[in-house]
């Protein structure tokens, strides 16, 4: 495992760094700050968590 930039929608939102056999997410954008310092088994799991987080925190249009 190597550290890598994590993008969402073509924009960097954080980095993933190896930590005790997992990937620790370091958020660099406010809209994903709730996921900061969480650990994930894979980059795919991290990306899914970002998508789920953004989907659940998006305001619903009236």
């Amino acid at each position: 495992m190597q550290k890598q930039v994590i993008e969402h929608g073509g924009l960097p939102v954080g980095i993933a760094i190896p930590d005790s056999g997992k990937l620790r997410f370091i958020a660099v954008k406010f809209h994903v700050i709730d996921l900061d310092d969480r650990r994930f088994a894979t980059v795919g799991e991290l990306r899914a968590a970002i998508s789920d987080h953004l989907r659940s925190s998006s305001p619903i249009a009236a």
Side-chain angles (χ1 to χ4, degrees):
M1 283 188 217
Q2 296 179 346
K3 71 179 171 183
Q4 54 190 297
V5 174
I6 303 299
E7 294 184 356
H8 181 78
L11 299 172
V13 295
I15 60 171
I17 58 171
D19 184 33
S20 301
K22 294 203 174 211
L23 294 169
R24 183 166 58 105
F25 180 62
I26 306 296
V28 297
K29 294 293 184 182
F30 183 75
H31 61 282
V32 294
I33 199 72
D34 291 339
L35 300 175
D36 188 56
D37 209 32
R38 286 188 43 195
R39 284 148 182 83
F40 299 90
T42 66
V43 171
E45 182 181 301
L46 169 53
R47 287 190 175 123
I50 291 169
S51 293
D52 290 345
H53 173 72
L54 293 176
R55 189 173 30 257
S56 68
S57 64
S58 294
I60 299 173

